[in-house]
Amino acid sequence: SRHLAAGYFDHPPAIAVLIRAGTLIAGDTTFGVRCVVVLVGTIATVAAVALAQRFGGAVAARRAAVAVLAMPLAGAGLVLATPDVPLLAALATGLLAVDLALNASDADARRALGWWLVAGAALGFGLVSKYTAVLFGTGIAIALLCREDLREQWRRPGIYVAILVAALIFSPVVFWNSSHNWISFRFQLAHGLTPKGHSNALNRELSLIGGQLGLVSPILFVLIAIAVAQALRRVSPARVFVVAVVATFVAAFFVYSATKRSVEPNWLAPAVLAGTIVWAAARTETTRWER
């Protein structure tokens, strides 16, 4: 953060910029390093709760808020200065903007286009936070291709505007990599997909699941997985289907990655956050497991 650039060996620059902003406010202290990051983490929570409310009203919003705040993943992860925090903020904001765009598309084309622009900006911010943001962008695209009632979005300009905005925001990172022998892109591709070590693939998959049970909580993780699986059915509302596909695609990618090498538990955080929104809106009553 003391040497700002458009890219670094390991990650894009967003977390460095956020740390620099905080230290300019509060000095080179622990609080200074984290203060702006915590505010960005709050955006992730608020956007997730807002989307849950759109799906299921006040009850769903309350369920989402309680779930996110109760998870060790959020309790620890959203107060640390890591790239996951702006990534989750971008994911939640982007999903909320996509839902607003889909809801406005039939009534107000201009408003829909504006929300697609916001979604593109969120995706671009996600990409300059962590390269895995491409997964939730791809998940949204897959969802809009899978159902007939969503495919019409490809005949409108909104999606293409979003892609263009995201590409423009991400372009400095691409140019930085091009002038540094693509070092960051190559490192991250190898970090996630190149086989490493001699550990058993089954053990890596079990470790991945165990990490999620610890970071989310065993009961809530299972409930989220069930809710997402149910939301993938074609009879589910299209708007909930989109979020469920994003959660599934991100999770599936890292399950595949675990066949190659060990996967860190926090890598699935975007899938967990998206899945939590789906779970929160899935029902209005509280079961004994959720209590």
Side-chain angles (χ1 to χ4, degrees):
S1 68
R2 296 175 180 176
H3 305 278
L4 292 180
Y8 299 93
F9 172 74
D10 194 351
H11 287 296
I15 188 60
V17 173
L18 295 179
I19 292 173
R20 179 67 171 271
T23 54
L24 288 175
I25 296 170
D28 293 341
T29 64
T30 301
F31 178 78
V33 168
R34 295 182 180 177
C35 63
V36 174
V37 178
V38 170
L39 292 176
V40 173
T42 303
I43 293 173
T45 302
V46 170
V49 171
L51 184 54
Q53 183 175 32
R54 287 181 57 81
F55 286 172
V59 173
R62 184 165 55 251
R63 286 159 56 88
V66 171
V68 170
L69 295 176
M71 287 180 192
L73 176 65
L78 293 182
V79 299
L80 299 177
T82 71
D84 291 305
V85 178
L87 174 69
L88 293 177
L91 168 70
T93 304
L95 290 176
L96 177 60
V98 168
D99 185 67
L100 288 163
L102 294 176
N103 189 60
S105 59
D106 293 330
D108 190 337
R110 182 175 295 181
R111 180 180 297 177
L113 187 62
W115 283 117
W116 277 116
L117 191 152
V118 174
L123 176 58
F125 182 68
L127 288 168
V128 299
S129 302
K130 201 170 183 179
Y131 296 130
T132 49
V134 71
L135 297 177
F136 75 75
T138 305
I140 292 171
I142 291 173
L144 298 179
L145 288 169
C146 284
R147 285 179 45 153
E148 186 175 353
D149 55 346
L150 291 171
R151 276 187 217 119
E152 64 180 29
Q153 296 297 326
W154 293 97
R155 295 192 287 271
R156 300 173 180 177
I159 297 176
Y160 306 102
V161 169
I163 294 171
L164 177 61
V165 170
L168 288 174
I169 294 174
F170 187 54
S171 60
V173 181
V174 177
F175 290 135
W176 182 91
N177 270 275
S178 69
S179 62
H180 291 78
N181 197 28
W182 307 103
I183 187 170
S184 187
F185 289 169
R186 290 190 294 108
F187 170 74
Q188 286 296 347
L189 285 172
H191 189 43
L193 295 175
T194 301
K196 181 179 179 180
H198 303 286
S199 60
N200 183 274
L202 178 59
N203 290 338
R204 292 195 296 269
E205 298 290 356
L206 292 174
S207 176
L208 176 62
I209 295 173
Q212 301 315 300
L213 296 177
L215 289 177
V216 180
S217 87
I219 294 175
L220 187 55
F221 177 74
V222 173
L223 293 174
I224 289 172
I226 293 172
V228 169
Q230 293 174 340
L232 291 175
R233 297 179 299 179
R234 294 186 179 273
V235 295
S236 64
R239 59 201 307 199
V240 179
F241 174 81
V242 171
V243 182
V245 170
V246 171
T248 303
F249 182 74
V250 173
F253 177 85
F254 288 116
V255 168
Y256 168 75
S257 180
T259 65
K260 305 290 186 181
R261 58 186 298 145
S262 296
V263 172
E264 297 175 19
N266 63 292
W267 291 359
L268 269 77
V272 171
L273 185 61
T276 301
I277 297 168
V278 173
W279 164 80
R283 64 180 76 221
T284 56
E285 73 277 7
T286 301
T287 68
R288 65 187 181 93
W289 291 106
E290 293 162 358
R291 294 192 190 100

